[in-house]
Amino acid sequence: MLLDEINKLEEEKKVIETKDKEISEILKKEMLLKTELSEKMTSLKKKQDALLVEEKRLQECRRGSLK
Amino acid sequence: MTKIIFLISVITFLFLCEPFADENIHNILSDLSSPERLEWNDFKTREIEKLKLKNKISLLKKIHFDLKNELIKLKQEVYFKNSEHDKITKENIELRKETNVFLTELSIKEYEIDNIRKEILEEDIKFGRVRCDKFEIHAELDNNNSTISISINTDLPKSTLVNITINRMFVNAEDNQKYAIDYFAKKVTVSEWEKTRSITLDQKKWENQFKSQIINYRLEGKKKDIDNLKFFNVTDIDNYVNIYTEVSMDQSDERFGNRNKNLVGQLVTTSEESKTVRNITKAYHTIDANKLINTQPPLYKHNEPKSQREAPLFDCYYIGYKYGRCATLLTKGKNCDLESDKMLTIPVSCRGQESTERGISAGVFSAWYSFPD
C-alpha cells in the first residue's frame, strides 16, 4: 500500500517538475520581452523629446523665415 | 619400582572412568535438539524479522512524508510562477499597446516635422537662401596623439567650401593673449569631409614652428613701431588641439551670394558685411605640452642684424593673423591696439595667398576664442 502510494507520489513529482521547468522557461522569455519593451519605450521617449525639440526649432525657423 | 606402580594405577583409573564421560556428552546433545530449545530459536528469528520489517515500514513512511512535503512545495512554486507569468504577460500586453500608440504618435510627429521642413525648404528656394541649422564636427585623436579623425555633419549643401584649421595655442603673459600654431589648414568641401578623414599631426613640425614663432614674435615685439607687443613670455601651452571650422566667405556656389549674404539659419553669425558659420571643437592631447616651455630659444638681443628683425613683417600669415584678429575684435566692439596701424590693410603681395587666408582664419579664431560671446 505504502509503496504504491510512494510510487504514485514519485510519478506526480516528475510531472510537476516538468511543468515547473516549462513555466520557468516561459517566465524567462516573458521577462526578457518585458525588458526589451521597456528599453524600446525609453528610446521612443528619447526620440519623442528630440522630435519635440526639433519641431520647436523648425517652428522658430519658419516664423523667422516667413517674416 | 615406585614409579612403575604409580603409572599402572593411573592407566587403570582412566580405563575405569571412560564409560561415564561418554554419557555426559550424550546428555548435552540431547538437550540442544529438544522441542523447547527449537521453539525458542524460532521465536527469536521471528522477533528479529518483525523488527526488520518495522524498521522498513518506518523508513517508507518517512520517504512518503518527505515526498508529500516536497510535492506541496513544488506545487506552491509552480503556482507562484504561474501567477507571476500571468502578471508579466498582462504587463507586456499593456506595454505593447503603449509602444504601438507611441509609435503612431511619433510617426505623426515625424510627418508634421517633415512638412515644416518642406515648407521652410520651399521658402528658402523661393527667396534664394542657403540654410544652416547643423554644423557639427566630430574629432578624435588616436591613442598616440599622432592622428586626428575628423568628420563634418551639416545640413549645408555638399558643395559648401569650409576652412578647416587644426592648431594648438599658447599664452603670452606679456599681453595675456593666446596665439595659435597650425598643424593643418585647408579649404575643403562638405562632401569631401562628410566621411571621416584622418589627418597626421606632425608634433615635431609643430614644436619647431613653436620655437621659430617665439623667435619671430620676440623680434617683432622689439619693434615697437609695428605694434604694442613686447616680449613673448610663454606661460602655458594648451594640452588640446583646436579644430576650427568656418564656412568660407568665398563660395563657388552662387546660391550663397556675395560674402554669404544668402546664408540663413540658427548657427549663422552675421557681421556688417558678411555671414558665416563657425565651430570650435577640442581634442585633448596626452602629451604634456608645457614641457616645451623649457626649450625656448634665447631672447632676442638689440644688436641682432636688422634683416632678421624685419623678416616677419613680410610674413603674409602674420599679416593675415593680425588683420583677422583685429577685424574680429572691432566687430565684437572690443578695442584693437592695431586700429591705426598700417597692418590693418593687407599688402597687395599677400592678397589671395593661402598663407594670408590661413593667418586670417587663425586671427579670427584667436579673437573669437578670447571673446566667445
Side-chain angles (χ1 to χ4, degrees):
Chain A
M1 261 306 263
L2 200 58
L3 265 175
D4 281 350
E5 185 92 2
I6 287 171
N7 282 337
K8 263 188 187 174
L9 285 174
E10 287 281 5
E11 284 296 314
E12 201 178 342
K13 191 187 162 189
K14 272 183 195 167
V15 172
I16 293 176
E17 272 176 347
T18 318
K19 208 174 173 185
D20 184 53
K21 266 187 192 171
E22 282 172 9
I23 192 84
S24 296
E25 282 297 312
I26 297 169
L27 195 62
K28 218 173 165 181
K29 280 180 189 168
E30 287 289 337
M31 293 281 256
L32 275 176
L33 186 67
K34 192 185 171 185
T35 317
E36 270 175 34
L37 283 169
S38 302
E39 278 171 6
K40 195 175 177 184
M41 199 65 189
T42 314
S43 75
L44 283 176
K45 277 182 182 162
K46 273 186 192 168
K47 195 178 173 185
Q48 188 197 35
D49 289 344
L51 281 176
L52 286 172
V53 171
E54 177 71 355
E55 188 189 26
K56 200 179 165 192
R57 188 183 70 78
L58 286 172
Q59 275 170 348
E60 275 171 17
C61 281
R62 183 167 59 178
R63 273 198 291 274
S65 68
L66 293 178
K67 267 178 193 174
Chain B
M1 189 63 185
T2 337
K3 277 181 185 174
I4 295 165
I5 294 166
F6 178 73
L7 197 67
I8 292 166
S9 49
V10 168
I11 291 164
T12 317
F13 177 77
L14 284 172
F15 183 75
L16 288 171
C17 284
E18 197 193 356
F20 295 108
D22 274 351
E23 198 181 342
N24 277 338
I25 291 163
H26 180 75
N27 282 344
I28 290 163
L29 284 171
S30 62
D31 189 38
L32 276 172
S33 57
S34 70
E36 290 84 9
R37 187 75 186 176
L38 284 172
E39 201 176 325
W40 169 248
N41 281 347
D42 274 355
F43 173 73
K44 262 170 57 182
T45 318
R46 277 202 305 276
E47 283 304 308
I48 289 166
E49 285 297 317
K50 261 189 193 175
L51 269 173
K52 277 185 184 171
L53 262 170
K54 268 186 180 173
N55 274 344
K56 206 174 177 182
I57 288 166
S58 59
L59 188 72
L60 279 170
K61 274 185 177 168
K62 197 184 172 300
I63 291 172
H64 181 255
F65 178 79
D66 287 350
L67 255 173
K68 267 192 161 177
N69 273 345
E70 219 173 308
L71 265 173
I72 290 167
K73 273 186 192 169
L74 257 172
K75 277 179 182 171
Q76 275 178 346
E77 217 169 296
V78 169
Y79 175 78
F80 171 75
K81 280 181 185 170
N82 258 325
S83 47
E84 188 72 10
H85 172 252
D86 287 348
K87 192 184 148 199
I88 291 178
T89 311
K90 272 182 194 168
E91 280 176 5
N92 281 349
I93 290 167
E94 283 302 312
L95 256 172
R96 265 212 187 95
K97 272 187 200 169
E98 210 179 320
T99 312
N100 285 337
V101 171
F102 221 91
L103 272 170
T104 319
E105 279 177 13
L106 287 186
S107 302
I108 294 167
K109 187 60 75 196
E110 275 175 334
Y111 178 75
E112 284 172 2
I113 287 173
D114 274 351
N115 277 344
I116 300 174
R117 274 204 192 105
K118 273 180 200 164
E119 206 178 308
I120 291 171
L121 190 69
E122 280 165 14
E123 285 285 316
D124 286 344
I125 292 167
K126 191 176 165 187
F127 293 101
R129 287 188 293 238
V130 178
R131 183 168 294 277
C132 180
D133 293 323
K134 187 161 56 172
F135 193 63
E136 294 165 357
I137 307 298
H138 178 76
E140 203 175 338
L141 277 164
D142 72 344
N143 291 336
N144 302 323
N145 301 301
S146 56
T147 311
I148 190 163
S149 307
I150 302 176
S151 61
I152 300 176
N153 182 16
T154 179
D155 53 357
L156 280 163
K158 291 191 188 300
S159 61
T160 309
L161 291 166
V162 177
N163 293 322
I164 294 190
T165 307
I166 305 169
N167 62 28
R168 192 158 56 168
M169 305 186 102
F170 58 89
V171 177
N172 175 24
E174 291 296 322
D175 59 357
N176 206 25
Q177 297 294 339
K178 281 195 157 190
Y179 293 84
I181 296 177
D182 296 348
Y183 284 104
F184 175 89
K186 202 176 176 185
K187 193 180 276 187
V188 300
T189 60
V190 166
S191 64
E192 285 170 343
W193 286 64
E194 270 179 337
K195 285 179 187 169
T196 305
R197 302 286 291 252
S198 287
I199 305 294
T200 307
L201 301 180
D202 190 338
Q203 192 57 30
K204 270 274 165 265
K205 198 175 159 189
W206 189 91
E207 285 171 25
N208 290 336
Q209 268 194 28
F210 170 68
K211 288 169 195 170
S212 65
Q213 288 272 8
I214 290 174
I215 294 170
N216 290 342
Y217 285 137
R218 278 183 181 146
L219 288 166
E220 289 154 12
K222 279 288 173 187
K223 289 184 75 65
K224 288 184 181 176
D225 56 322
I226 297 171
D227 55 45
N228 291 332
L229 285 175
K230 295 173 186 168
F231 284 100
F232 253 81
N233 177 17
V234 178
T235 52
D236 199 16
I237 300 175
D238 283 348
N239 244 2
Y240 50 83
V241 291
N242 296 295
I243 299 92
Y244 175 70
T245 39
E246 181 191 53
V247 172
S248 174
M249 306 274 184
D250 186 21
Q251 294 290 335
S252 53
D253 188 336
E254 285 179 1
R255 284 179 293 172
F256 282 86
N258 185 30
R259 297 184 75 80
N260 299 337
K261 68 172 183 182
N262 299 330
L263 191 60
V264 291
Q266 286 202 319
L267 301 175
V268 175
T269 51
T270 311
S271 66
E272 280 175 17
E273 293 172 354
S274 58
K275 288 178 176 182
T276 190
V277 178
R278 292 188 187 102
N279 179 304
I280 297 179
T281 303
K282 290 176 183 174
Y284 281 83
H285 233 268
T286 51
I287 294 167
D288 184 8
N290 281 301
K291 282 179 184 167
L292 292 169
I293 295 174
N294 302 325
T295 65
Q296 282 182 41
L299 291 167
Y300 162 75
K301 288 173 190 158
H302 272 290
N303 56 5
E304 277 182 9
K306 198 183 172 193
S307 59
Q308 272 189 32
R309 300 202 302 266
E310 286 185 344
L313 267 176
F314 305 103
D315 182 345
C316 292
Y317 177 90
Y318 176 70
I319 292 166
Y321 179 87
K322 292 284 171 194
Y323 176 84
R325 181 175 166 77
C326 212
T328 312
L329 283 175
L330 288 172
T331 57
K332 280 177 175 286
K334 307 283 177 191
N335 287 330
C336 173
D337 299 336
L338 308 173
E339 197 171 356
S340 58
D341 198 284
K342 59 183 176 184
M343 281 187 70
L344 260 178
T345 53
I346 295 175
V348 180
S349 59
C350 286
R351 284 178 200 170
Q353 296 276 339
E354 198 199 333
S355 56
T356 316
E357 284 264 317
R358 285 199 291 117
I360 292 172
S361 289
V364 170
F365 173 50
S366 163
W368 201 73
Y369 192 90
S370 304
F371 302 98
D373 298 326

